[in-house]
Amino acid sequence: MDIQREIYMLANSIWSQLRMISPYWITGLVAGSAVTVFLSDKIAAKVSQLSAERFWVVALSAFLGMVSPLCMFGTVPLIAALGQKGVPQHILASFMVSSVLLNPNLWLVSFVLGWEIALARLVLAFLCGTLAGIIVLYGFKKRALFSFGKFSTVKKKRKFLPDLLKAFRITAPYLLIGVTLTALGERYIPPEWIANMFGARRGLGVLFATTLSVPLYICGAGTIPLIRAWMFAGMGTGDAMAFMLAGPATKINNLSAVKMILGTKNFLLYLAFVVIFAILAGLGVGFIL
């Protein structure tokens, strides 16, 4: 009887999490597919026109990277195609980094955590992409950052409904995993543990969150309910932001895609940059919010 009750309570918790996050997730899927099908070519064309070595150009490429809804295995072929057309590497770096950190779908789902965190995530993804472009502009003038080799850039025409269904099939399992882990944590992990790990150690909490993001970040939508539960248990806003910045940048799938075009040495520089930025951003957000 106790086992049946536990199963019922766990299922009820999972259902509650799904009802809470589903409207944001579905809205994000629709918006992401709409941008992919109807605006991605225009975004690529706009990036291909950027060439000046000016701050506003780097900032614009970071913004375009954020509004691009492509996953990294979609962004990498786009970057390769643009690079082969002669788009400067500081533009490509800015676009790539901001695209890794945020997309329309992920931003909309972030509102589950509150508009302040969603806004902070938007601003920090923009700043990170812009800073990456500036570093490449002034630090890689005489050396190549990207290595496209014989990279294939086959382009396929995409349609809205098939793209939406594909996005649903890809993200739904991760969302279910995320809410299940959240429900399990709420049922069997004492809130005091989370409070002691994060709340009682303001500075170290950001380091803990950045470290935990590497193995635990599965996908944006699937991770949001987990972060939400941790914040209720005592996780700080800065800790959550560090997790959300380091997570997508160090997710295994994204890392393998980035390494394809950066090579080993530049790939390690990329890792160091995004992790340091996530830690500093988490400390800053924690101080402000």
Side-chain angles (χ1 to χ4, degrees):
M1 192 66 179
D2 289 340
I3 295 178
Q4 292 180 343
R5 183 177 181 277
E6 285 297 319
I7 293 175
Y8 170 79
M9 296 296 292
L10 187 62
N12 186 62
S13 180
I14 291 173
W15 175 241
S16 297
Q17 295 285 343
L18 285 173
R19 283 192 303 171
M20 178 270 298
I21 199 172
S22 290
Y24 298 93
W25 172 56
I26 293 173
T27 301
L29 289 180
V30 173
S33 292
V35 174
T36 299
V37 174
F38 302 115
L39 297 178
S40 58
D41 288 343
K42 294 181 180 179
I43 293 173
K46 189 65 178 179
V47 175
S48 67
Q49 296 170 3
L50 301 177
S51 60
E53 295 184 355
R54 296 179 181 177
F55 172 80
W56 71 267
V57 175
V58 176
L60 178 58
S61 65
F63 171 77
L64 293 173
M66 290 192 306
V67 301
S68 171
L70 303 176
C71 68
M72 273 311 297
F73 282 98
T75 300
V76 164
L78 175 60
I79 290 175
L82 295 173
Q84 291 167 355
K85 290 181 180 179
V87 176
Q89 60 183 13
H90 63 280
I91 300 298
L92 300 180
S94 180
F95 182 89
M96 181 189 74
V97 170
S98 61
S99 180
V100 169
L101 296 180
L102 199 62
N103 58 57
N105 180 12
L106 187 53
W107 185 58
L108 289 172
V109 177
S110 300
F111 276 90
V112 172
L113 304 175
W115 69 267
E116 298 95 339
I117 293 180
L119 179 61
R121 191 172 195 179
L122 179 72
V123 171
L124 288 170
F126 172 76
L127 290 177
C128 190
T130 302
L131 180 59
I134 292 174
I135 291 174
V136 173
L137 173 61
Y138 294 105
F140 285 75
K141 282 185 175 293
K142 296 183 179 181
R143 50 180 294 203
L145 176 67
F146 297 98
S147 177
F148 301 120
K150 298 180 180 179
F151 201 93
S152 175
T153 58
V154 178
K155 184 179 179 181
K156 297 180 180 180
K157 185 67 176 178
R158 307 178 77 164
K159 297 182 179 180
F160 177 73
L161 187 57
D163 191 88
L164 179 60
L165 293 175
K166 180 181 178 181
F168 178 87
R169 290 196 306 269
I170 292 174
T171 59
Y174 292 110
L175 177 64
L176 185 59
I177 292 172
V179 297
T180 301
L181 289 175
T182 302
L184 289 169
E186 288 180 340
R187 290 291 297 167
Y188 303 114
I189 296 179
E192 297 80 19
W193 291 10
I194 304 299
N196 289 334
M197 181 179 294
F198 296 107
R201 299 175 175 85
R202 183 174 295 271
L204 291 178
V206 171
L207 297 178
F208 290 153
T210 304
T211 303
L212 286 174
S213 70
V214 178
L216 292 183
Y217 195 96
I218 45 179
C219 85
T223 308
I224 291 296
L226 189 63
I227 297 174
R228 183 174 180 270
W230 285 352
M231 292 185 71
F232 274 116
M235 184 184 205
T237 305
D239 306 338
M241 190 58 60
F243 187 97
M244 289 187 288
L245 288 171
T250 58
K251 189 171 69 170
I252 298 300
N253 289 346
N254 287 350
L255 289 181
S256 60
V258 170
K259 192 174 185 299
M260 290 171 61
I261 56 176
L262 288 184
T264 302
K265 185 176 180 179
N266 291 336
F267 171 72
L268 294 176
L269 292 176
Y270 159 81
L271 271 182
F273 168 73
V274 294
V275 169
I276 292 173
F277 183 89
I279 293 172
L280 294 178
L283 292 172
V285 170
F287 178 78
I288 295 172
L289 298 181

